[in-house]
Amino acid sequence: MPKPRRKSRGKSRSFLRPFLKLVLGLVLLAVLLGGAAWWYFHPPVTATRGVLYTTRNGHDLTLDVFRPAEPNGVGILMMVSGGWQSAPEKFQPWMAASFLRRGHTVIAVSHLSQPEASIMEIVEDVHRAVRFVRHHAKEYGVDPLRLGVIGGSSGGHLGLMLATRGGPGSPVSNDPVDRESSAVQAVTVFYPVTDLINLGDSTQNLHDGGPPKSFRHSFGPHGTNLASWKIIGRDMSPIFHITPAMPPIFIIHGDADTLVPVDQSQRFQKRAAEVGRKVEVLVRPGKGHGWYTMLWDAHLFADWMTEQLSSPSL
């Protein structure tokens, strides 16, 4: 009887060895992958936080500057905005690791949230942020002719408002910042609102010709007046301000998005083509208003932005 037992134990040990090696290998692989991911998403940066670029309704509006170890002169303005609400703490450098790893300096722009600020005021303030960054470009180590913008949802809307309406400042302003241009040289955005007048199948559309249902009081005191809304909504819709001077734009949008339907991007692309401007639209099948693999899409944005801003625009 003892001999069979020893034989059984030997078989058990011979089975356990490769199993334990496999488990150990998987644990080691997980540690290595986790360590690599942690390293990638924590690039060395020099952070300058809380830089005041303007005030709005008694509130200081700030931006945070993140410079990579080896900056290449490209400046990327990150619109920290969702539902046209914003706060500096909503952005962390790891979110822009793909840009920082390519040597781009990232400037995270925060704004006063609606409804305390109207969306018109928010648009005005992000134009001011671009002028401010351009005025301080040398200080931040960026080329004033190589500024890009990235954002998602309302941040995407703000990015496209800069793309379509960015331009010269006031030459007679007493403030040197306001004499700068708010034009940008490239824009990458996720699922942006492009046409507030024609909301289509959006769950925000009450089909009464008025503003999106969750933002009825976000367009100032006249936003709920239908006659005034037609003017305000058009003024705040990037699709109505496309010109041949518009910078290159890359949009990623999910075709299952019910908040901002994909046709918002597709119609913007079509309108741009009518004036000879190419807008790239990448449709993600089955994706809604946000998805888990967006960090991979950020890599696509970073590669595209690097190509677009490899040399100064003329």
Side-chain angles (χ1 to χ4, degrees):
M1 293 298 294
K3 289 182 181 179
R5 287 177 191 166
R6 285 198 296 269
K7 196 170 184 181
S8 175
R9 288 174 186 171
K11 286 182 178 179
S12 298
R13 284 195 294 268
S14 64
F15 170 76
L16 284 174
R17 286 194 197 100
F19 176 74
L20 290 174
K21 286 181 179 179
L22 175 62
V23 171
L24 182 61
L26 291 173
V27 170
L28 182 59
L29 179 61
V31 170
L32 290 173
L33 290 175
W38 189 95
W39 171 85
Y40 184 84
F41 287 107
H42 292 80
V45 297
T46 301
T48 305
R49 299 177 183 269
V51 179
L52 176 68
Y53 71 87
T54 194
T55 59
R56 172 67 67 185
N57 300 341
H59 295 271
D60 290 345
L61 303 186
T62 62
L63 51 83
D64 297 333
V65 182
F66 301 94
R67 296 187 66 185
E70 298 181 9
N72 60 14
V74 171
I76 304 295
L77 284 85
M78 173 77 70
M79 298 292 106
V80 183
S81 183
W84 291 288
Q85 294 189 330
S86 181
E89 61 271 16
K90 290 185 178 181
F91 174 81
Q92 296 300 325
W94 66 265
M95 299 176 182
S98 54
F99 290 90
L100 292 165
R101 286 287 178 191
R102 286 162 177 78
H104 306 332
T105 296
V106 174
I107 302 104
V109 178
S110 301
H111 60 77
L112 186 60
S113 298
Q114 61 80 22
E116 189 166 1
S118 70
I119 291 170
M120 295 83 81
E121 291 173 324
I122 292 170
V123 169
E124 182 180 320
D125 289 338
V126 297
H127 277 273
R128 165 74 184 193
V130 176
R131 300 184 201 279
F132 185 91
V133 170
R134 179 162 278 118
H135 188 70
H136 293 276
K138 185 175 181 180
E139 179 183 342
Y140 301 149
V142 300
D143 184 339
L145 294 179
R146 299 165 71 196
L147 298 181
V149 178
I150 182 172
S153 195
S154 67
H157 167 262
L158 297 176
L160 293 185
M161 288 298 288
L162 289 168
T164 56
R165 309 208 72 178
S170 171
V172 297
S173 175
N174 292 326
D175 186 340
V177 170
D178 287 334
R179 295 198 292 266
E180 298 282 359
S181 171
S182 64
V184 294
Q185 284 66 59
V187 175
T188 56
V189 294
F190 288 104
Y191 38 78
V193 180
T194 69
D195 187 350
L196 288 160
I197 297 295
N198 304 291
L199 294 172
D201 294 331
S202 171
T203 52
Q204 287 291 313
N205 192 355
L206 291 179
H207 301 283
D208 62 353
K213 70 176 183 181
S214 299
F215 305 97
R216 294 262 141 171
H217 302 288
S218 303
F219 292 91
H222 304 293
T224 54
N225 178 288
L226 290 184
S228 298
W229 169 246
K230 290 180 181 179
I231 299 172
I232 294 170
R234 184 181 180 90
D235 195 47
M236 289 292 103
S237 295
I239 199 169
F240 295 112
H241 308 291
I242 294 170
T243 71
M246 189 174 70
I249 294 170
F250 180 20
I251 301 173
I252 300 180
H253 209 134
D255 68 2
D257 193 336
T258 57
L259 185 66
V260 182
V262 70
D263 82 294
Q264 288 273 325
S265 292
Q266 293 169 332
R267 287 191 291 113
F268 184 86
Q269 180 187 42
K270 182 179 179 181
R271 183 71 63 89
E274 291 172 359
V275 300
R277 299 304 296 163
K278 181 179 179 182
V279 172
E280 296 183 44
V281 176
L282 176 60
V283 177
R284 288 298 189 204
K287 302 301 183 183
H289 202 70
W291 51 89
Y292 290 118
T293 56
M294 286 176 64
L295 281 177
W296 172 250
D297 291 325
H299 286 274
L300 300 181
F301 277 166
D303 286 340
W304 182 88
M305 197 73 84
T306 300
E307 180 181 350
Q308 298 298 324
L309 301 178
S310 60
S311 60
S313 300
L314 298 178

